[in-house]
């Protein structure tokens, strides 16, 4: 699961233009990851999977995210500790290596993720994880039905909906309409306190965090400029042409 | 956040707080200083450094305040989401109707937001006081005063939990926790409010039954209520009125129990405050709640929490109004700049923030004390009157800072302003609070 700045928070670019300010910005579970956790818990409630493990990579603060997942019904958690500069450079490639290593270690048959994280909007981790494991993948899932050792995934695509059938083990990424995540109720939050969270470092999994990408600069979107009034439709079309819009 | 050199090597695991006793220990964490090489772990008690609200980006930020733990933060996220998704979108409609929907009560019950402090064995959630406080606060942060959840869960349900027979508990608590039944408490009458001993509603013995006659006014949750705790005189000959009061559980539908009408208030528009009439209502013996003629003492014991609750609502409302106003002044333009750039506005905001933070420190101290069952009645009264006074001052200033828009119903600050006025009155007027505090100061005991 990803731990992102809360999406309605005011985000500012860091003065050195290497990223956005994350200090003091309240973080919470990525909304798509919430949906992924919910789906996993539902599969367990329907007795289609035996155990749900919630994984998060990052510094200390992701423990709260893991606890929220435990409160929603995950059985145990794994906190892969990545902090400081490593955390800033943590991208889909590194995370997918970690997830792939964990999936093998835990002998998982299904990895469920949010389709993308709302901080970077990369939409790569699920796909990369599947590639590394050489597993089937069902991405942008709006419906997941387990049928024996196969999964029917209804995917949201540009043209509408696509239904595919994939064999387990597989990676599924959750889209918005897959489900509505449950609230973490107080009794479940208290029960979650007793659930185990394993702690490990990427090196324990044999994963190196070297980034293949260097962020050159981060800029805020250009300030909104005043509009220009035009007299006629012809004027509008010619102005749009001039600015290269059409 | 542990600021120690061992931080990187620390493998934190939270220890079950129950063994540490009270919820004050939520601020203390047993830290397992585990080194990867597997050396013997040392247990050290360290204060986790939760930021103070006054240094956070917003006074309502989740993750602040020393009295709360990480688990409380997770719960607060859920509660905040509930109010944003299930309450706020419908509130304007409910204001027009003068009541909330039955559905929102059921939803709150389903999410485990009702009866938080009632023990699980009785059918409640079995949570701590701070979790209940989170629900109180989040409701004020959402500016939706319609649902009477806090009255139902933390004022009325405790009466049944503390003074009810096992059969009464078994009968009433589960549906109240589920939100399928709504509770109210009827003390005030047209002729008796502060003067509780002036209550005229009378329950007369008839064999093993009681016949109840009288009427009550200003009863919150009254219109929608399924069960009402009614304060009535049972001994007209008692030496003092205090020794002649009893509590009764009266259910909606009982012949003679009439709900008069929803009262048209100047604020709390979505709250179904009503007047209730009892005309020769026949009640069985097991409708008596608590010991006969000892009702006054039950009330005195429970009113402490009610007063703390009102103080907590007041502080949360202050924080909401402050943040709402901060947002407004930072975008409202006048004289070529935002009004936030005017010195008078900045000074006003500085005064508001300071007073609110001072109040917050006191309220949190009272909440902590009450968790440990160490809060006394005069202190609860102090919290109630001081915080509600502050809330009204803040409301007035914040409306002024909003200018004309502050007078418009569609602006949240306008609703918060009118809603704040009753806080000085209900739960015991602030004048009565001063009576109680004053007496405790000069008493010889």
């Amino acid at each position: 699961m990803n731990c992102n700045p809360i999406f309605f928070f005011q985000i500012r670019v860091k003065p050195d233009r290497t990223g956005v300010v994350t200090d003091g910005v309240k973080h919470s579970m990525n909304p798509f990851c919430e949906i992924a956790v919910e789906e996993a818990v539902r599969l367990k409630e329907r007795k289609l999977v035996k155990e749900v493990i919630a994984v998060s990579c990052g510094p200390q603060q992701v423990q709260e995210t893991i606890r929220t997942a435990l409160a929603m019904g995950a059985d145990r958690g794994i906190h892969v500790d990545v902090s400081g500069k490593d955390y800033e450079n943590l991208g889909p490639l590194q995370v997918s290596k970690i997830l792939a290593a964990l999936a093998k270690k835990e002998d998982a048959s299904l990895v469920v993720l949010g389709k993308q994280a709302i901080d970077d909007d990369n939409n790569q981790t699920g796909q990369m994880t599947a590639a590394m494991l050489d597993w089937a993948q069902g991405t942008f899932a709006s419906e997941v039905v387990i049928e024996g050792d196969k999964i029917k995934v209804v995917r949201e695509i540009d043209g509408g909906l696509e239904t595919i059938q994939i064999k387990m083990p597989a990676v599924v990424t959750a889209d918005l309409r897959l489900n509505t995540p449950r609230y973490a109720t107080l009794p479940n939050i208290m029960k979650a306190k007793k659930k185990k969270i394993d702690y490990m470092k990427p090196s324990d999994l044999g994963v190196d965090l070297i980034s293949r990408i260097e962020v050159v600069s981060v800029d805020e979107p250009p300030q909104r400029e005043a509009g220009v009034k035009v007299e006629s439709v012809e004027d509008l079309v010619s102005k749009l042409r001039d600015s290269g819009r059409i | 956040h542990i600021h120690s050199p061992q931080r990187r090597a620390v493998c934190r695991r939270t220890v079950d707080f129950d063994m540490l006793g009270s919820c004050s220990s939520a601020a203390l964490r047993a830290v397992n200083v585990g080194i990867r090489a597997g050396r013997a772990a040392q247990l050290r008690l360290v204060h986790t450094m939760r930021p103070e609200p006054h240094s956070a980006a917003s006074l309502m930020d989740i993750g602040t305040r020393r009295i709360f733990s990480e688990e409380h933060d997770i719960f607060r996220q859920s509660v905040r989401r509930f109010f944003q998704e299930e309450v706020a979108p419908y509130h304007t409609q409910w204001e027009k109707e003068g009541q909330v929907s039955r559905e929102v009560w059921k939803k709150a019950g389903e999410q485990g937001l009702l009866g938080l402090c009632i023990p699980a064995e009785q059918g409640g959630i079995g949570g701590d006081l701070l979790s209940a406080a989170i629900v109180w606060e989040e409701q004020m942060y959402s500016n939706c005063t319609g649902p009477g959840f806090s009255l139902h869960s933390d004022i009325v349900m405790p009466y049944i939990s503390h003074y009810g027979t096992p059969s009464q508990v078994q009968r009433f608590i589960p549906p109240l926790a589920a939100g399928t039944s709504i509770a109210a408490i009827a003390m005030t009458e047209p002729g008796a409010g502060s003067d509780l001993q002036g209550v005229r509603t009378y329950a007369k013995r008839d064999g093993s039954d009681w016949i109840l006659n009288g009427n009550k006014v200003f009863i919150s949750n009254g219109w929608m209520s399924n069960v009402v705790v009614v304060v009535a005189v049972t001994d007209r000959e008692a030496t003092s009125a205090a020794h002649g009061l009893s509590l009764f559980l009266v259910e909606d539908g009982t012949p003679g129990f009439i709900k008069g009408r929803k009262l048209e208030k100047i604020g709390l528009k979505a709250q179904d405050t009503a007047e209730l009439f009892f005309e020769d209502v026949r009640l069985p013996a097991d409708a008596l709640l608590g010991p006969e003629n000892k009702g006054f003492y039950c009330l005195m014991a429970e009113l402490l929490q009610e007063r703390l609750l009102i103080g907590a609502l007041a502080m949360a409302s202050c924080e909401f109004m402050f943040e709402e106003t901060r947002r407004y002044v930072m975008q409202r333009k006048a004289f070529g700049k935002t009004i936030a750039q005017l010195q008078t506005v900045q000074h006003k905001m500085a005064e508001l923030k300071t007073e609110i933070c001072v109040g917050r420190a006191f309220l949190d101290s009272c909440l902590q004390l009450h968790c440990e069952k160490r809060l006394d009645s005069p202190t609860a009264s102090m919290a109630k009157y001081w915080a509600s006074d502050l809330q009204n001052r803040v409301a007035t200033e914040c409306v002024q800072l909003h200018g004309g828009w502050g007078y418009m119903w569609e602006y949240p600050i306008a609703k918060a302003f009118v809603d704040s006025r009753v806080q000085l009155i209900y739960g015991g007027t602030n004048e009565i609070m001063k009576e109680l505090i004053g007496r405790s100061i000069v008493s010889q005991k």
Side-chain angles (χ1 to χ4, degrees), chain B residues 374-386:
Chain B
R374 285 166 56 203
L375 184 69
D376 59 47
S377 200
T379 312
S381 302
M382 283 161 63
K384 192 270 180 185
Y385 109 69
W386 197 89

Side-chain angles (χ1 to χ4, degrees), chain A residues 53-64:
Chain A
I53 308 168
V55 179
S56 194
C57 309
Q60 195 51 51
Q61 65 195 106
V62 307
Q63 289 222 357
E64 199 177 307

